[in-house]
Amino acid sequence: MLRASWKSLMGRKLRLLMSAFAIILGVSFVAGSLIFTDTIGKAFDGITDTVGDVVVRPTTTSGMFDGTGSARTVPGDLVEQLAGTTGAARADGNVSDETTFVVSKAGKLIGGQGAPGLGLNHNEAPTSSGTQPLTLTAGQWPERTGEVVLDVATAQRAGYTVGDTVALVTSGAQPKVSATLVGTAKFASGGLAGASITVFDTKTAQALYFGGRDDYTNVTVTAKDGVSPDELAKSVRKALPAGYESVTGAKLAEEQKTSINEALSFISTFLLIFAGIALFVGSFLIINTFSILVAQRSRELALLRALGAGRRQVTRSVLFEAFVVGLVGSTLGLALGFGLAVGIRALFATLGLDLSESALVFQPSTAIAAYAVGLAVTMVAAYLPARRAGKMPPVAAMRDDIAMPEGTMRWRVAMGAVLVAAGLTGVGVGGFTSVEKPAWFVGLGVFALVLGVAMTSPLAGRPLIAATGAVYRRLFGAVGHMAEQNAVRNPRRTAATASALMIGLTLVSMMSVFGASAKASVDKAINASFAADFVVSNAIGQPFSAAVTREVEQVAGVEAVSPIRIVGMQIDGDRTGGAAIDPQSFQRVVPVNVTEGSLAGLTGRAIAVDDKFAAEHDVAVGSKVDLAVAGQKDAYTVAAVYQNLKAINLPVLLGLDTATKAGVPEQDSMAFVLTAPGADRAAVEAGLDKVVADLPTVTVKDQAAFAAEQRGPIDQMLALIYALLGLAVVIAVLGIVNTLALSVIERTREIGLLRAVGLSRRQLRTMLRLESVAIALLGAVLGVGLGLVGGWALQRALAGDGIDVLAIPAGQLAVFVALAGVVGVLAALWPGRRAARLDVLRAITTD
């Protein structure tokens, strides 16, 4: 049986390759995702490994990427004191900033889309391995004000060479900086994951970021020969005043790696979810392919049974073929995964995570996962066709057409109906009741709905095929009628092929509805809460210097400016968001419905919370809340409770003075501007534009432009999701091609007879094309319908988070259905051409 199965496989190489398509593409996504995430990990491991023996810093409760940046510093006199600590060879103060960006010669901002712009001072502190974190590649290190060194990649992207004048923007005390490029350097680990590095002399860095104070962000203490980092850390700890801590370089590197992994874990989860979708879609293609192959080999299998092969042997024979298909598909998919990883890397580079300087990382675990997933999915998907092959009695199997037992269809429809009911329940609970994590209920409900509709589609799809057939008969006559009959001849096969496309279009349609609803909600929130005439905000999601806001206040015709600083916070170890505001001006530009207390009480350690926060944490005016602001945990008193603010949608407010005293950097996230009564609006806007003219990180917008800016990230997210879902759609399209191609092989004799009685090649191609379009439209209609249900429920589930408007992009959904028809036409090209080229006489004599 093994030899017979192997000969059967080798005799049908084309079918083998076509059967492996889904596994190749699905596994490539798994492998590509794992390669990409391993590459990210390697890049950031190199970055975090460049720390010294011992690091002294202000005591903090936050991690590296907790969004709770602090302006607290280490005084310069402490650096001198640490240099004399027992076991210390030297102590070096480090100045660092994450909002210093280079402006190219063409006036374009370099980076800024997610990756930080690192501003550093130059010192000779080595890493824990004794190497320098930065290595000079040309020129010299900066020695005085007006000199700067850039990393090689940033200098090349900006078009600067040594000797040029470099334009920079920062969020520090000086928002605009101009300096001469005196050298270029490279990072010890190579790539910077899209970040840029700007190096100043220490005095310049302190002037830029600390207003000239002799302060440092942290201090690196280097151990003498023979002194371990742990021993040095203990010695340093004894010399530190309250409010500071010492950690070994190894511990700090581990903290940073943990923080980075937590911050970036969503990327691997995000990508693997789409890989799972691709494999899920591919499983339909595999089931369909093996069902067709079993039907085509019915005579061969019957002869094997007649010669003494048992049912289990026949089943194992088909599973052996599936194993080979899975092995071949996994191998090719693993190889293709490298190419896909390059594509994913390029895709994420557009979002600011640029790993072009980092070599792709291939771990043995990637290969193990690729083969495990590929083989498992193939074997599971092929099990039912293999089991059916073993159950076929020899006489029944020798018939040309194998009809599925009616009982199997009843069981399938019954199970599908149960899943549809469960899916509707999950969608209803998540979308229309108050439960924790409602989006999870919606997601699971949509998954159950998709499975249920896929199982019931052999019956549910008949009315749609019949409607399509009525159009076909009117437009194409007998050819259209035959196309309809071919589509309904094997309802399981048609349904499985259409279901693959249905899954992809369900998700695409669902995200389209959700995206349109999110954008409509943004527009509504801004229309309802936008009392300002203009908004000054950052174009790259980074804060800007408070000095810019002070310049805006001096523009003629400006009556009031209300700055807002987004503040990262922690409560009970969980991250949350807040905003530092000026209570008096804030209430003039943002309508606030205060239900308890008053925003005027935002002084000292006082906060205001929205009603949702108050209910979740059971607090009211006068209650104490333990919050970690800028890495410092303190007890804050609730001074007011307000209804959710659509304008900023953050649950906690505190005063600007309170935030500054807590260590929040004086960097504004946006500033609302009110013009004075009778002022020339155009003249005011011109004055504001003049303030930010040389700051490509900062923009001035009216209400419409601000709304468009807020919609931008939603469009970017949708584009990314569409790109990743594209693979699932490609697999579904290949499924239609595969089904038609195998169907042509299966119906070779029938096609020969049709040609013999007068069917032309053109009519034959038209028949297959119409059959393909019917399948594609069935998947599209079901997918768009399920997407509407899922999108509506998801919008309702997140209504409390600000997505409170349902918007249905009817035009976009209509385009999806139309494109499905085009896909059907294209998918039939190769099978139709192959069928038309069949030799009539040979086709008639085919068994």
Side-chain angles (χ1 to χ4, degrees), residues 55 85 180 201 230 251 385 440 498 566 619 692:
V55 175
T85 304
T180 301
D201 67 282
D230 287 329
K251 181 181 178 181
W440 281 98
I566 305 301
V619 296
V692 302

Side-chain angles (χ1 to χ4, degrees), residues 707-741:
E709 181 187 60
Q710 299 305 302
R711 293 193 299 267
I714 300 173
D715 289 328
Q716 192 175 51
M717 176 201 70
L718 289 176
L720 176 62
I721 290 175
Y722 290 157
L724 295 174
L725 283 175
L727 184 64
V729 176
V730 168
I731 293 176
V733 173
L734 288 176
I736 298 175
V737 175
N738 202 23
T739 298
L740 288 176

Side-chain angles (χ1 to χ4, degrees), residues 763-795:
Q763 289 175 314
L764 176 59
R765 287 195 295 266
T766 300
M767 181 184 73
L768 291 174
R769 192 179 305 124
L770 293 176
E771 182 181 347
S772 175
V773 170
I775 294 172
L777 289 178
L778 173 60
V781 171
L782 292 176
V784 169
L786 289 175
L788 279 170
V789 173
W792 178 34
L794 186 59
Q795 179 268 319

Side-chain angles (χ1 to χ4, degrees), residues 25-41 267-276 278 333-334 336-342 344-345 348 360-361 366 724 727:
L25 293 176
V27 169
S28 69
F29 210 137
V30 173
S33 301
L34 293 175
I35 291 170
F36 178 71
T37 52
D38 287 341
T39 302
I40 293 176
I267 293 180
S268 58
T269 302
F270 183 73
L271 290 175
L272 289 175
I273 285 173
F274 286 95
L334 184 59
L336 185 61
F338 283 92
L340 195 60
V342 172
I344 295 174
R345 183 170 64 179
F348 274 85
L360 294 177
V361 176
T366 299
L724 295 174
L727 184 64

Side-chain angles (χ1 to χ4, degrees), residues 37-206:
T37 52
D38 287 341
T39 302
I40 293 176
K42 183 67 174 178
F44 280 98
D45 282 352
I47 293 173
T48 58
D49 285 340
T50 55
V51 291
D53 292 329
V54 172
V55 175
V56 173
R57 63 187 180 185
T59 306
T60 180
T61 62
S62 62
M64 184 178 182
F65 289 100
D66 283 342
T68 53
S70 174
R72 297 176 67 239
T73 56
V74 179
D77 56 2
L78 184 57
V79 179
E80 298 177 6
Q81 181 182 339
L82 293 173
T85 304
T86 303
R90 61 185 296 167
D92 298 272
N94 303 308
V95 178
S96 64
D97 173 72
E98 296 183 359
T99 60
T100 301
F101 296 97
V102 176
V103 181
S104 73
K105 283 188 173 181
K108 302 295 184 182
L109 195 71
I110 302 300
Q113 298 299 326
L118 300 175
L120 309 172
N121 71 313
H122 172 61
N123 62 46
E124 300 295 334
T127 67
S128 56
S129 61
T131 61
Q132 291 295 321
L134 289 171
T135 303
L136 200 66
T137 60
Q140 64 180 40
W141 291 112
E143 297 177 348
R144 60 186 63 85
T145 299
E147 295 181 345
V148 70
V149 166
L150 301 178
D151 68 276
V152 175
T154 299
Q156 290 175 345
R157 290 162 62 193
Y160 292 122
T161 56
V162 174
D164 290 340
T165 299
V166 178
L168 303 113
V169 291
T170 81
S171 297
Q174 298 181 34
K176 306 172 189 177
V177 180
S178 180
T180 301
L181 184 64
V182 296
T184 57
K186 67 178 182 179
F187 198 63
S189 66
L192 287 167
S196 61
I197 291 183
T198 306
V199 184
F200 304 95
D201 67 282
T202 298
K203 292 296 183 183
T204 299
Q206 289 175 327

Side-chain angles (χ1 to χ4, degrees), residues 115 157 192-195 345 348-349 352-358:
R157 290 162 62 193
L192 287 167
R345 183 170 64 179
F348 274 85
L353 185 59
D354 186 0
L355 299 174
S356 57
E357 297 179 38
S358 302

